[in-house]
Amino acid sequence: MTTYTPEVTGSGFRASVQRVGGYLASMVMPNIGAFIAWGLITALFIPTGWLPNAHIAQIVGPMIKILLPLLIGYTGGRLVHGQRGAVVGAVATMGIVIGADVPMFLGAMLIGPLAAYVLKLWDGLVENRIRPGFEMLVDNFSAGIIGGAMAVGGIYGVGPVVQGLTKTAGHGVDWLVSHHLLPLTSVLVEPAKVLFLNNAINHGVFGPLGVAEAADKGKSILFMIESNPGPGLGLLLAFFLFGPRSLRPTVPAAIIVQFLGGIHEIYFPYVLMKPKLILAMICGGASGVGTFMLTGAGLVATPSPGSIFAYMAVTPKGGYFVVLLGIVISAAVTFAVASMLMGFGRGEPKEEALGPDEQTVVNPDEAAHAQAKLTRQEA
């Protein structure tokens, strides 16, 4: 976990939240390459992408619903109990992704480590109690039985819980919309997005409501609440300037996938790594929605994917300025709040520690000057 987050000290609530966030990040960040691959394929080949290709686009759904959750469950199990835990975590995750209507990222984060922990308890129980020659038999069958049992349990346990959370979030957002408290929807929308419930909220709640409003008024602000690319851009820019130095090289590609490609999932792991940044996302999202509301902005259809280009494509004539204004303000607010929460990078080391085989390149003139100064001091 320390690869992605600073070591946490203390035992208070804040430290506990940081540990949980660091653990979640440790399950997601090693698989960021797979997220980028899925994002690029989605942005390019879906029907509304840059190079629509129905044949290639067939892998988009299986990747986000099966491959990515399996990778997260595998990584979470490995963190708990090594390779055996990884295998059991992947098997258990398979149980919750089958038949699910939403990507089971949250479910994978729960059941992968849980299955590995159960196996770890079993291994501790039978350690030094197996007759010589039967170790492999017991190890393989115990992993298979526990993994299979956890997969079946996930179908009837973890899966329905995650589905229930999705529906609850959707009902909460629907209530805020019906009571004309649009900026406050960000309090529910932004945390739900980070838990990969964005598509369920956007297409399950805002989409149908927005279509009805657009049919009546010609445009709808509801299409812009979840899909606004501004907050994600602001967060990634803050990470690029003030985030952990080891992760900054990954940010430019993430910005391209998120802002230009419209695949917002790419920035979710960055928030999971530092959970306090959800405050920046809420502030940015609320400021964007507030700006859209005050200026009367709206779109004629759902921007899919939620890129700046898709936004421009479904913006009604004469509405480009107010739409861009809301995106810019939301990005600026998110950037400012996230930068403050990360202390403007003051906590990040200025130089990376060198490995045992690495050498430091020194300017010869500076070295000679330092040596002469040391000689005078010794004299």
Side-chain angles (χ1 to χ4, degrees):
M1 284 182 287
T2 55
T3 305
Y4 306 104
T5 56
E7 184 177 357
V8 180
T9 59
S11 58
F13 176 76
R14 178 180 178 183
S16 299
V17 172
Q18 289 177 329
R19 288 191 182 93
V20 171
Y23 195 82
L24 295 178
S26 296
M27 283 189 274
V28 177
M29 292 305 293
N31 302 307
I32 197 70
F35 279 86
I36 291 178
W38 173 80
L40 291 173
I41 292 172
T42 303
L44 288 174
F45 300 117
I46 62 175
T48 55
W50 298 103
L51 301 170
N53 187 306
H55 185 63
I56 298 177
Q58 292 181 84
I59 69 173
V60 171
M63 283 185 73
I64 192 172
K65 288 187 176 181
I66 299 176
L67 175 63
L68 297 179
L70 282 178
L71 287 174
I72 292 174
Y74 180 93
T75 306
R78 190 180 184 90
L79 289 173
V80 174
H81 195 43
Q83 183 62 27
R84 279 169 57 74
V87 172
V88 171
V91 173
T93 302
M94 196 65 195
I96 65 172
V97 302
I98 297 300
D101 296 329
V102 296
M104 282 290 177
F105 294 97
L106 178 59
M109 293 176 184
L110 294 174
I111 201 167
L114 178 61
Y117 182 69
V118 172
L119 180 63
K120 184 178 181 179
L121 293 177
W122 166 262
D123 287 348
L125 182 65
V126 301
E127 187 177 8
N128 300 324
R129 297 182 180 181
I130 304 174
R131 292 181 179 275
F134 289 89
E135 294 90 352
M136 183 175 293
L137 179 66
V138 173
D139 286 348
N140 289 339
F141 270 87
S142 62
I145 292 171
I146 292 175
M150 293 297 294
V152 174
I155 296 175
Y156 297 102
V158 177
V161 169
V162 175
Q163 293 277 23
L165 290 175
T166 303
K167 292 182 180 179
T168 300
H171 291 324
V173 171
D174 193 13
W175 183 87
L176 291 173
V177 170
S178 63
H179 287 75
H180 307 289
L181 300 173
L182 287 180
L184 292 182
T185 57
S186 297
V187 176
L188 291 176
V189 169
E190 297 303 328
K193 285 177 65 176
V194 172
L195 295 176
F196 297 91
L197 303 177
N198 52 318
N199 288 325
I201 291 177
N202 190 31
H203 299 294
V205 179
F206 293 136
L209 295 175
V211 169
E213 185 176 3
D216 180 42
K217 301 179 180 179
K219 62 181 180 180
S220 175
I221 189 178
L222 300 179
F223 293 131
M224 313 168 76
I225 295 177
E226 184 277 333
S227 62
N228 183 4
L233 175 64
L235 174 83
L236 291 172
L237 289 174
F239 247 93
F240 181 70
L241 295 177
F242 307 118
R245 293 181 181 274
S246 61
L247 292 180
R248 293 182 190 180
T250 68
V251 174
I255 290 177
I256 293 174
V257 172
Q258 187 268 336
F259 192 68
L260 302 183
I263 309 304
H264 295 199
E265 285 88 348
I266 198 69
Y267 75 80
F268 299 167
Y270 293 88
V271 182
L272 291 173
M273 183 175 55
K274 293 182 179 291
K276 61 184 177 182
L277 294 180
I278 193 62
L279 297 176
M281 302 307 301
I282 292 174
C283 292
S287 64
V289 174
T291 302
F292 294 144
M293 185 174 64
L294 292 175
T295 58
L299 302 178
V300 298
T302 300
S304 179
S307 72
I308 185 63
F309 300 114
Y311 255 66
M312 295 298 97
V314 294
T315 298
K317 184 178 180 180
Y320 292 100
F321 175 77
V322 292
V323 169
L324 289 173
L325 180 64
I327 293 174
V328 170
I329 289 178
S330 62
V333 171
T334 304
F335 173 79
V337 177
S339 299
M340 288 188 291
L341 290 174
M342 289 191 288
F344 297 98
R346 287 191 294 266
E348 298 297 329
K350 294 184 178 180
E351 298 180 358
E352 298 292 338
L354 296 176
D357 298 329
E358 294 179 286
Q359 296 180 350
T360 304
V361 178
V362 181
N363 187 305
D365 294 335
E366 293 180 355
H369 177 73
Q371 182 62 38
K373 183 178 179 180
L374 180 62
T375 302
R376 289 196 300 270
Q377 292 176 347
E378 291 176 351

